[in-house]
Amino acid sequence: MSIKVREFVDFWIETSVHASETHGGQGGEQNAAVLASRCIEMAKSEGISDSAIQVEVGDLTSYIQSRLKAANLLESERVENVIDDGPQPDTAL
């Protein structure tokens, strides 16, 4: 069952945990506790208990917080690169 749990959690995080917007946009939810609660609610609908998640990933809130931190860092670096490089020409023409 742990493979199912890990796959569920990783898929849920991939589709539900997003970086915050850096230029005033709404961005993704940044409260890891809220996200963990949503994940557990969805997991229960799939027959996965919160204790199974705990066994597989440890503290889900901390796990999601680390994923949020990584997503926000990547987004920040992406934005820096766009700003440093300036506008890119449209090569699709």
Side-chain angles (χ1 to χ4, degrees):
M1 174 122 162
S2 67
I3 292 173
K4 178 183 176 184
V5 173
R6 174 62 72 164
E7 286 177 352
F8 173 84
V9 171
D10 287 344
F11 179 77
W12 189 90
I13 287 174
E14 182 180 323
T15 60
S16 303
V17 174
H18 307 287
S20 63
E21 283 292 322
T22 54
H23 293 294
Q26 185 169 335
E29 172 67 56
Q30 295 295 297
N31 185 323
V34 169
L35 290 167
S37 177
R38 290 178 188 167
C39 180
I40 289 169
E41 182 179 325
M42 182 65 72
K44 286 180 181 176
S45 74
E46 295 293 320
I48 300 171
S49 69
D50 51 348
S51 61
I53 293 172
Q54 174 80 23
V55 167
E56 187 61 29
V57 301
D59 180 59
L60 183 59
T61 301
S62 296
Y63 188 70
I64 290 174
Q65 184 62 45
S66 69
R67 295 296 185 98
L68 272 172
K69 186 175 179 180
N72 288 331
L73 179 61
L74 286 172
E75 177 65 7
S76 177
E77 289 172 354
R78 184 193 69 78
V79 169
E80 274 185 35
N81 288 336
V82 168
I83 291 171
D84 289 345
D85 293 342
Q88 300 298 310
D90 186 3
T91 58
L93 297 175

Coordinates of all heavy atoms in Angstrom, one line a residue:
M1 N 0.8 -1.2 0.0 CA 0.0 0.0 0.0 C 0.9 1.3 0.0 O 0.4 2.3 -0.5 CB -0.9 0.0 1.2 CG -1.7 1.3 1.4 SD -3.4 1.0 1.3 CE -4.0 2.4 2.1
S2 N 2.1 1.2 0.5 CA 2.9 2.4 0.6 C 3.2 3.0 -0.8 O 3.3 4.2 -0.9 CB 4.2 2.1 1.4 OG 5.0 1.2 0.6
I3 N 3.3 2.2 -1.8 CA 3.5 2.7 -3.2 C 2.3 3.5 -3.6 O 2.4 4.6 -4.1 CB 3.8 1.6 -4.2 CG1 5.2 0.9 -3.9 CG2 3.8 2.1 -5.6 CD1 5.5 -0.3 -4.7
K4 N 1.1 3.0 -3.3 CA -0.1 3.7 -3.6 C -0.2 5.1 -2.9 O -0.5 6.1 -3.4 CB -1.3 2.9 -3.3 CG -2.7 3.6 -3.6 CD -3.8 2.7 -3.1 CE -5.1 3.5 -3.3 NZ -6.3 2.8 -2.9
V5 N 0.2 5.0 -1.6 CA 0.2 6.2 -0.8 C 1.2 7.3 -1.3 O 0.8 8.4 -1.5 CB 0.5 5.9 0.7 CG1 0.6 7.2 1.5 CG2 -0.6 5.0 1.3
R6 N 2.4 6.8 -1.6 CA 3.4 7.7 -2.1 C 3.0 8.3 -3.5 O 3.2 9.5 -3.7 CB 4.8 7.0 -2.2 CG 5.9 7.8 -2.9 CD 6.2 9.1 -2.1 NE 6.9 8.7 -0.9 CZ 7.6 9.5 -0.2 NH1 7.7 10.8 -0.6 NH2 8.2 9.2 0.9
E7 N 2.5 7.5 -4.3 CA 2.1 8.0 -5.6 C 0.9 9.0 -5.5 O 0.9 10.0 -6.2 CB 1.6 6.8 -6.5 CG 2.7 6.0 -7.1 CD 2.3 4.8 -7.9 OE1 1.1 4.5 -7.9 OE2 3.2 4.1 -8.5
F8 N 0.0 8.7 -4.6 CA -1.1 9.6 -4.4 C -0.6 11.0 -3.9 O -0.9 12.0 -4.4 CB -2.1 9.1 -3.4 CG -3.2 10.1 -3.0 CD1 -4.3 10.3 -3.8 CD2 -3.0 10.9 -1.9 CE1 -5.2 11.3 -3.6 CE2 -4.0 11.9 -1.6 CZ -5.1 12.1 -2.4
V9 N 0.2 10.9 -2.8 CA 0.7 12.2 -2.3 C 1.5 13.0 -3.3 O 1.3 14.2 -3.5 CB 1.6 11.9 -1.0 CG1 2.3 13.2 -0.5 CG2 0.6 11.4 0.1
D10 N 2.4 12.3 -4.0 CA 3.3 13.0 -5.0 C 2.4 13.6 -6.1 O 2.7 14.7 -6.5 CB 4.3 12.1 -5.5 CG 5.4 11.8 -4.5 OD1 5.5 12.5 -3.5 OD2 6.2 10.8 -4.7
F11 N 1.4 12.8 -6.6 CA 0.6 13.3 -7.6 C -0.3 14.5 -7.1 O -0.4 15.5 -7.8 CB -0.4 12.2 -8.2 CG -1.3 12.7 -9.2 CD1 -0.9 12.9 -10.5 CD2 -2.7 13.0 -8.9 CE1 -1.7 13.4 -11.5 CE2 -3.5 13.4 -9.9 CZ -3.1 13.6 -11.2
W12 N -0.8 14.4 -5.9 CA -1.6 15.4 -5.3 C -0.8 16.7 -5.2 O -1.2 17.8 -5.6 CB -2.2 15.0 -4.0 CG -3.2 16.0 -3.5 CD1 -4.5 16.0 -3.7 CD2 -2.9 17.2 -2.7 NE1 -5.1 17.1 -3.2 CE2 -4.1 17.9 -2.5 CE3 -1.8 17.8 -2.2 CZ2 -4.2 19.1 -1.8 CZ3 -1.9 19.0 -1.5 CH2 -3.1 19.6 -1.3
I13 N 0.4 16.6 -4.7 CA 1.3 17.7 -4.6 C 1.6 18.3 -5.9 O 1.6 19.6 -6.1 CB 2.6 17.4 -3.8 CG1 2.2 17.2 -2.3 CG2 3.7 18.4 -3.9 CD1 3.3 16.7 -1.4
E14 N 1.9 17.5 -6.9 CA 2.3 18.0 -8.3 C 1.1 18.8 -8.9 O 1.4 19.8 -9.5 CB 2.6 16.8 -9.2 CG 3.0 17.2 -10.6 CD 3.3 16.0 -11.4 OE1 3.9 15.0 -10.9 OE2 3.0 16.0 -12.6
T15 N -0.1 18.4 -8.6 CA -1.3 19.1 -9.2 C -1.9 20.1 -8.3 O -2.6 21.0 -8.8 CB -2.4 18.1 -9.6 OG1 -2.8 17.4 -8.4 CG2 -1.9 17.1 -10.6
S16 N -1.5 20.2 -7.0 CA -2.2 21.1 -6.1 C -1.3 22.1 -5.4 O -1.8 23.1 -4.8 CB -2.9 20.3 -5.0 OG -3.8 19.4 -5.6
V17 N 0.0 21.9 -5.4 CA 1.0 22.8 -4.7 C 1.7 23.6 -5.8 O 2.4 23.1 -6.6 CB 1.9 22.0 -3.8 CG1 3.0 22.9 -3.2 CG2 1.2 21.3 -2.7
H18 N 1.5 24.9 -5.7 CA 2.1 25.8 -6.7 C 2.7 27.0 -6.1 O 2.4 27.4 -5.0 CB 1.0 26.3 -7.7 CG 0.2 25.2 -8.3 ND1 0.7 24.4 -9.2 CD2 -1.1 24.7 -8.0 CE1 -0.2 23.5 -9.6 NE2 -1.3 23.7 -8.8
A19 N 3.7 27.6 -6.8 CA 4.4 28.7 -6.3 C 3.5 29.9 -6.1 O 2.5 30.0 -6.8 CB 5.5 29.1 -7.3
S20 N 3.9 30.8 -5.3 CA 3.1 32.1 -5.2 C 3.5 32.9 -6.4 O 4.6 32.8 -6.9 CB 3.5 32.8 -3.9 OG 4.8 33.1 -3.8
E21 N 2.6 33.8 -6.8 CA 3.0 34.7 -7.8 C 3.9 35.8 -7.3 O 3.7 36.3 -6.2 CB 1.7 35.3 -8.4 CG 0.9 34.4 -9.3 CD 1.6 34.1 -10.6 OE1 2.3 35.0 -11.2 OE2 1.5 32.9 -11.1
T22 N 4.9 36.1 -8.1 CA 5.8 37.1 -7.7 C 5.5 38.5 -8.1 O 6.0 39.5 -7.6 CB 7.2 36.8 -8.2 OG1 7.2 36.6 -9.6 CG2 7.7 35.5 -7.5
H23 N 4.5 38.7 -9.0 CA 4.2 40.0 -9.5 C 2.8 40.4 -9.3 O 2.1 40.8 -10.2 CB 4.5 40.1 -11.0 CG 6.0 40.0 -11.3 ND1 6.9 41.0 -10.9 CD2 6.7 39.1 -11.9 CE1 8.1 40.7 -11.3 NE2 8.0 39.5 -11.9
G24 N 2.3 40.1 -8.1 CA 1.0 40.6 -7.7 C -0.2 39.7 -8.1 O -1.3 40.0 -7.8
G25 N 0.1 38.6 -8.8 CA -1.0 37.7 -9.2 C -1.4 36.8 -7.9 O -0.8 36.9 -6.9
Q26 N -2.4 36.1 -8.1 CA -2.9 35.3 -6.9 C -2.0 34.2 -6.5 O -1.7 34.0 -5.4 CB -4.3 34.8 -7.3 CG -4.9 34.1 -6.1 CD -6.4 33.8 -6.3 OE1 -7.0 34.4 -7.1 NE2 -6.9 32.8 -5.6
G27 N -1.5 33.4 -7.5 CA -0.6 32.3 -7.1 C -1.3 31.2 -6.4 O -2.5 31.2 -6.2
G28 N -0.6 30.2 -5.9 CA -1.1 29.1 -5.2 C -1.3 29.3 -3.7 O -0.6 30.2 -3.2
E29 N -2.1 28.5 -3.1 CA -2.3 28.5 -1.7 C -0.9 28.3 -1.0 O -0.1 27.5 -1.4 CB -3.2 27.4 -1.2 CG -3.3 27.2 0.3 CD -4.0 28.4 1.0 OE1 -5.1 28.8 0.6 OE2 -3.3 29.0 1.9
Q30 N -0.6 29.1 0.0 CA 0.8 29.1 0.6 C 0.7 28.6 2.0 O 1.7 28.5 2.7 CB 1.5 30.4 0.5 CG 1.8 30.9 -0.9 CD 2.8 30.0 -1.6 OE1 3.9 29.9 -1.1 NE2 2.4 29.3 -2.6
N31 N -0.5 28.3 2.5 CA -0.6 27.7 3.9 C -0.5 26.2 3.8 O -1.4 25.5 3.4 CB -1.9 28.2 4.5 CG -2.0 27.8 5.9 OD1 -1.6 26.7 6.4 ND2 -2.7 28.7 6.7
A32 N 0.6 25.7 4.3 CA 0.9 24.2 4.2 C -0.1 23.4 5.0 O -0.5 22.3 4.6 CB 2.3 23.9 4.7
A33 N -0.6 24.0 6.1 CA -1.6 23.3 6.9 C -2.9 23.1 6.2 O -3.6 22.1 6.2 CB -1.8 24.0 8.3
V34 N -3.3 24.2 5.5 CA -4.5 24.2 4.7 C -4.4 23.1 3.6 O -5.3 22.3 3.3 CB -4.9 25.5 4.1 CG1 -6.0 25.5 3.0 CG2 -5.3 26.5 5.2
L35 N -3.2 23.1 2.9 CA -3.0 22.2 1.8 C -3.0 20.8 2.3 O -3.5 19.8 1.7 CB -1.7 22.5 1.1 CG -1.7 23.8 0.3 CD1 -0.3 24.2 -0.1 CD2 -2.6 23.6 -0.9
A36 N -2.3 20.5 3.5 CA -2.3 19.2 4.1 C -3.7 18.7 4.4 O -4.0 17.5 4.1 CB -1.4 19.2 5.4
S37 N -4.6 19.6 4.9 CA -5.9 19.2 5.2 C -6.7 18.8 3.9 O -7.4 17.8 3.9 CB -6.6 20.4 5.9 OG -8.0 20.1 6.1
R38 N -6.5 19.6 2.9 CA -7.1 19.2 1.6 C -6.6 17.9 1.0 O -7.4 17.1 0.5 CB -6.8 20.3 0.6 CG -7.5 21.6 0.8 CD -7.1 22.7 -0.2 NE -7.6 24.0 0.2 CZ -7.2 25.1 -0.4 NH1 -6.4 25.1 -1.4 NH2 -7.7 26.3 0.0
C39 N -5.3 17.7 1.2 CA -4.7 16.4 0.7 C -5.3 15.2 1.5 O -5.7 14.2 0.9 CB -3.2 16.4 0.9 SG -2.4 14.9 0.3
I40 N -5.4 15.3 2.8 CA -5.9 14.3 3.6 C -7.4 14.0 3.3 O -7.8 12.9 3.2 CB -5.7 14.6 5.1 CG1 -4.3 14.5 5.5 CG2 -6.6 13.7 6.0 CD1 -3.9 15.0 6.8
E41 N -8.1 15.1 3.0 CA -9.6 14.9 2.7 C -9.7 14.1 1.4 O -10.5 13.2 1.2 CB -10.2 16.3 2.5 CG -11.7 16.3 2.2 CD -12.2 17.7 2.1 OE1 -11.8 18.6 2.8 OE2 -13.1 17.9 1.2
M42 N -8.9 14.5 0.4 CA -8.9 13.8 -0.9 C -8.4 12.4 -0.8 O -9.0 11.4 -1.4 CB -8.1 14.5 -1.9 CG -8.1 13.9 -3.3 SD -9.7 13.9 -4.1 CE -9.8 15.7 -4.5
A43 N -7.4 12.2 0.1 CA -6.8 10.8 0.3 C -7.9 9.9 0.9 O -8.1 8.7 0.5 CB -5.6 10.9 1.2
K44 N -8.7 10.4 1.8 CA -9.7 9.6 2.4 C -10.8 9.2 1.4 O -11.3 8.1 1.5 CB -10.4 10.4 3.6 CG -9.5 10.5 4.8 CD -10.2 11.3 5.9 CE -9.3 11.3 7.1 NZ -9.8 12.2 8.2
S45 N -11.0 10.0 0.5 CA -12.0 9.7 -0.6 C -11.4 8.6 -1.5 O -12.2 7.9 -2.2 CB -12.4 10.9 -1.4 OG -11.4 11.3 -2.3
E46 N -10.1 8.4 -1.5 CA -9.5 7.3 -2.2 C -9.1 6.1 -1.4 O -8.4 5.2 -1.8 CB -8.2 7.9 -2.8 CG -8.4 9.0 -3.9 CD -9.1 8.5 -5.1 OE1 -8.8 7.4 -5.6 OE2 -10.0 9.2 -5.6
G47 N -9.6 6.1 -0.1 CA -9.4 5.0 0.8 C -8.0 5.0 1.4 O -7.5 4.0 1.9
I48 N -7.4 6.2 1.5 CA -6.0 6.3 2.1 C -6.2 7.0 3.4 O -6.7 8.2 3.4 CB -5.1 7.0 1.1 CG1 -4.9 6.2 -0.2 CG2 -3.7 7.2 1.8 CD1 -4.2 7.0 -1.3
S49 N -5.7 6.4 4.5 CA -5.9 7.1 5.8 C -4.7 8.1 6.0 O -3.7 8.0 5.4 CB -5.8 6.0 6.9 OG -4.5 5.4 7.0
D50 N -5.0 9.0 6.9 CA -4.0 10.0 7.3 C -2.8 9.3 8.0 O -1.7 9.7 7.9 CB -4.5 11.1 8.1 CG -5.4 10.7 9.3 OD1 -5.7 9.5 9.4 OD2 -5.6 11.6 10.2
S51 N -3.1 8.2 8.7 CA -2.0 7.5 9.3 C -1.1 6.8 8.3 O 0.1 6.7 8.5 CB -2.5 6.4 10.3 OG -3.3 5.5 9.7
A52 N -1.7 6.3 7.2 CA -0.8 5.7 6.1 C 0.1 6.8 5.5 O 1.2 6.6 5.1 CB -1.7 5.1 5.1
I53 N -0.5 8.0 5.3 CA 0.3 9.1 4.8 C 1.4 9.4 5.8 O 2.6 9.7 5.4 CB -0.6 10.4 4.6 CG1 -1.5 10.1 3.4 CG2 0.3 11.6 4.2 CD1 -2.6 11.1 3.2
Q54 N 1.1 9.5 7.1 CA 2.1 9.8 8.1 C 3.3 8.7 8.0 O 4.5 9.1 8.1 CB 1.5 9.7 9.5 CG 2.4 9.8 10.7 CD 2.8 11.3 10.9 OE1 2.1 12.2 10.5 NE2 4.0 11.4 11.6
V55 N 3.0 7.5 7.9 CA 4.0 6.4 7.8 C 4.8 6.6 6.5 O 6.1 6.5 6.6 CB 3.3 5.0 7.7 CG1 4.3 4.0 7.3 CG2 2.7 4.7 9.1
E56 N 4.2 7.0 5.4 CA 5.0 7.2 4.2 C 5.8 8.4 4.1 O 6.9 8.4 3.6 CB 4.0 7.1 3.0 CG 4.6 7.1 1.7 CD 5.5 5.8 1.4 OE1 5.2 4.8 2.0 OE2 6.5 6.0 0.7
V57 N 5.3 9.6 4.5 CA 6.0 10.8 4.3 C 6.3 11.6 5.6 O 6.9 12.7 5.5 CB 5.2 11.8 3.3 CG1 5.0 11.2 2.0 CG2 3.9 12.3 3.9
G58 N 5.9 11.1 6.7 CA 6.1 11.8 7.9 C 5.1 12.8 8.1 O 3.9 12.7 7.7
D59 N 5.4 13.9 8.7 CA 4.5 15.0 8.9 C 4.1 15.7 7.6 O 5.0 16.3 6.9 CB 5.1 16.1 9.8 CG 4.1 17.2 10.1 OD1 3.0 17.0 10.6 OD2 4.5 18.4 9.8
L60 N 2.9 15.5 7.1 CA 2.4 16.0 5.8 C 2.6 17.5 5.7 O 3.0 18.0 4.6 CB 1.0 15.5 5.6 CG 0.5 15.9 4.2 CD1 1.3 15.3 3.1 CD2 -1.0 15.4 4.1
T61 N 2.3 18.2 6.7 CA 2.4 19.7 6.7 C 3.8 20.1 6.4 O 4.1 20.9 5.5 CB 1.8 20.3 8.0 OG1 0.5 19.9 8.1 CG2 1.9 21.8 7.9
S62 N 4.8 19.5 7.1 CA 6.2 19.8 6.9 C 6.6 19.4 5.5 O 7.4 20.1 4.8 CB 7.1 19.1 7.9 OG 6.8 19.6 9.2
Y63 N 6.1 18.2 5.0 CA 6.5 17.7 3.7 C 6.0 18.7 2.6 O 6.7 19.1 1.7 CB 5.8 16.3 3.5 CG 6.2 15.6 2.2 CD1 7.5 15.1 2.1 CD2 5.3 15.4 1.2 CE1 7.9 14.4 0.9 CE2 5.7 14.7 0.1 CZ 7.0 14.2 0.0 OH 7.3 13.6 -1.2
I64 N 4.7 19.1 2.8 CA 4.2 20.1 1.8 C 4.9 21.4 1.9 O 5.2 22.1 0.9 CB 2.7 20.3 2.0 CG1 1.9 19.0 1.6 CG2 2.1 21.5 1.3 CD1 0.5 19.0 1.9
Q65 N 5.3 21.9 3.1 CA 6.0 23.1 3.3 C 7.3 23.1 2.5 O 7.7 24.1 1.9 CB 6.2 23.4 4.8 CG 6.9 24.7 5.0 CD 6.1 25.9 4.6 OE1 4.9 26.0 4.8 NE2 6.7 26.9 3.9
S66 N 8.0 21.9 2.6 CA 9.3 21.8 1.9 C 9.1 21.9 0.3 O 9.9 22.5 -0.4 CB 10.0 20.6 2.2 OG 9.4 19.4 1.8
R67 N 8.0 21.3 -0.1 CA 7.6 21.4 -1.5 C 7.3 22.8 -2.0 O 7.6 23.2 -3.1 CB 6.5 20.4 -1.9 CG 6.9 18.9 -1.7 CD 8.0 18.5 -2.7 NE 8.3 17.1 -2.6 CZ 7.9 16.2 -3.4 NH1 7.1 16.6 -4.4 NH2 8.2 15.0 -3.3
L68 N 6.5 23.5 -1.1 CA 6.2 24.9 -1.4 C 7.5 25.8 -1.5 O 7.6 26.6 -2.4 CB 5.3 25.5 -0.3 CG 3.8 25.3 -0.4 CD1 3.2 25.8 0.9 CD2 3.3 26.0 -1.6
K69 N 8.4 25.5 -0.5 CA 9.6 26.3 -0.5 C 10.4 26.1 -1.8 O 10.9 27.0 -2.5 CB 10.5 25.9 0.7 CG 11.7 26.7 0.9 CD 12.4 26.3 2.1 CE 13.7 27.1 2.3 NZ 14.4 26.7 3.6
A70 N 10.4 24.8 -2.3 CA 11.1 24.5 -3.5 C 10.4 25.1 -4.7 O 11.1 25.7 -5.6 CB 11.2 23.0 -3.7
A71 N 9.1 25.1 -4.8 CA 8.4 25.6 -5.9 C 8.5 27.1 -5.9 O 8.7 27.7 -7.0 CB 6.9 25.3 -5.7
N72 N 8.5 27.8 -4.8 CA 8.7 29.2 -4.7 C 10.1 29.7 -5.1 O 10.3 30.7 -5.8 CB 8.4 29.8 -3.3 CG 6.9 29.8 -3.1 OD1 6.1 29.9 -4.0 ND2 6.5 29.6 -1.8
L73 N 11.1 28.9 -4.7 CA 12.5 29.1 -5.1 C 12.7 29.0 -6.6 O 13.2 29.9 -7.3 CB 13.4 28.2 -4.4 CG 14.9 28.4 -4.7 CD1 15.4 29.8 -4.4 CD2 15.7 27.3 -4.0
L74 N 12.1 27.9 -7.2 CA 12.2 27.8 -8.7 C 11.5 28.9 -9.4 O 12.0 29.4 -10.4 CB 11.6 26.4 -9.1 CG 12.4 25.2 -8.8 CD1 11.6 23.9 -9.0 CD2 13.7 25.2 -9.6
E75 N 10.3 29.3 -8.9 CA 9.6 30.4 -9.6 C 10.4 31.7 -9.5 O 10.5 32.5 -10.4 CB 8.2 30.6 -8.9 CG 7.4 31.8 -9.5 CD 7.1 31.6 -11.0 OE1 7.3 30.6 -11.6 OE2 6.5 32.6 -11.5
S76 N 11.0 32.0 -8.3 CA 11.8 33.2 -8.1 C 13.0 33.2 -9.1 O 13.3 34.2 -9.7 CB 12.3 33.2 -6.7 OG 13.1 34.3 -6.5
E77 N 13.7 32.0 -9.2 CA 14.8 31.9 -10.1 C 14.3 32.1 -11.6 O 15.0 32.8 -12.4 CB 15.5 30.6 -9.9 CG 16.2 30.5 -8.6 CD 16.8 29.1 -8.4 OE1 16.5 28.2 -9.1 OE2 17.5 29.0 -7.4
R78 N 13.2 31.5 -11.9 CA 12.7 31.7 -13.3 C 12.4 33.1 -13.6 O 12.8 33.7 -14.6 CB 11.4 30.9 -13.4 CG 10.8 30.9 -14.9 CD 9.4 30.4 -14.9 NE 8.4 31.2 -14.3 CZ 7.9 32.4 -14.8 NH1 8.4 32.8 -16.0 NH2 7.1 33.1 -14.2
V79 N 11.8 33.8 -12.7 CA 11.4 35.3 -12.9 C 12.7 36.1 -13.0 O 12.8 37.0 -13.8 CB 10.5 35.8 -11.7 CG1 10.4 37.3 -11.8 CG2 9.2 35.1 -11.8
E80 N 13.7 35.8 -12.1 CA 15.0 36.5 -12.2 C 15.6 36.3 -13.6 O 16.2 37.3 -14.2 CB 16.0 36.0 -11.1 CG 15.8 36.6 -9.8 CD 16.9 36.2 -8.8 OE1 18.0 35.9 -9.2 OE2 16.5 36.1 -7.6
N81 N 15.6 35.1 -14.1 CA 16.2 34.8 -15.4 C 15.5 35.6 -16.5 O 16.1 36.1 -17.4 CB 16.2 33.3 -15.7 CG 17.2 32.6 -14.9 OD1 18.2 33.2 -14.4 ND2 17.0 31.3 -14.7
V82 N 14.1 35.7 -16.4 CA 13.4 36.4 -17.4 C 13.7 37.9 -17.4 O 13.9 38.5 -18.4 CB 11.9 36.2 -17.2 CG1 11.0 37.2 -18.1 CG2 11.5 34.7 -17.5
I83 N 13.8 38.4 -16.2 CA 14.2 39.8 -16.0 C 15.6 40.1 -16.5 O 15.8 41.1 -17.2 CB 14.0 40.3 -14.5 CG1 12.5 40.3 -14.2 CG2 14.6 41.6 -14.3 CD1 12.2 40.5 -12.7
D84 N 16.5 39.2 -16.1 CA 17.9 39.4 -16.5 C 18.1 39.3 -18.0 O 18.9 40.0 -18.6 CB 18.8 38.4 -15.8 CG 19.0 38.6 -14.3 OD1 18.7 39.7 -13.9 OD2 19.4 37.7 -13.6
D85 N 17.4 38.4 -18.6 CA 17.5 38.1 -20.1 C 16.7 39.1 -20.9 O 16.9 39.2 -22.1 CB 17.1 36.7 -20.4 CG 18.0 35.7 -19.8 OD1 19.2 36.0 -19.4 OD2 17.6 34.5 -19.7
G86 N 15.8 39.8 -20.3 CA 14.9 40.7 -21.0 C 13.9 40.0 -21.8 O 13.8 38.7 -21.8
P87 N 13.1 40.7 -22.6 CA 12.0 40.0 -23.4 C 12.7 39.1 -24.4 O 13.7 39.5 -25.0 CB 11.3 41.2 -24.0 CG 11.9 42.4 -23.6 CD 13.1 42.1 -22.7
Q88 N 12.1 38.0 -24.7 CA 12.5 37.0 -25.6 C 11.8 37.3 -27.0 O 10.6 37.5 -27.0 CB 12.3 35.6 -25.2 CG 13.0 35.3 -23.9 CD 14.5 35.4 -24.0 OE1 15.1 34.8 -24.9 NE2 15.1 36.1 -23.0
P89 N 12.6 37.3 -28.1 CA 11.9 37.5 -29.4 C 11.0 36.3 -29.7 O 11.2 35.2 -29.2 CB 13.1 37.5 -30.4 CG 14.2 36.8 -29.7 CD 14.0 37.0 -28.2
D90 N 10.0 36.6 -30.4 CA 9.0 35.6 -30.8 C 9.6 34.8 -32.0 O 9.6 35.3 -33.1 CB 7.7 36.2 -31.2 CG 6.6 35.2 -31.4 OD1 6.8 34.0 -31.3 OD2 5.5 35.6 -31.8
T91 N 10.0 33.6 -31.8 CA 10.6 32.8 -32.8 C 9.6 31.9 -33.5 O 10.0 31.1 -34.4 CB 11.7 31.9 -32.2 OG1 11.1 31.1 -31.2 CG2 12.8 32.7 -31.7
A92 N 8.3 32.0 -33.2 CA 7.3 31.2 -33.8 C 6.9 31.7 -35.2 O 6.1 31.0 -35.9 CB 6.1 31.1 -32.9
L93 N 7.3 32.9 -35.6 CA 6.9 33.4 -36.8 C 7.5 32.8 -38.0 O 8.4 32.4 -38.4 CB 7.2 34.9 -36.9 CG 6.4 35.8 -35.8 CD1 6.9 37.2 -35.9 CD2 4.9 35.7 -36.1

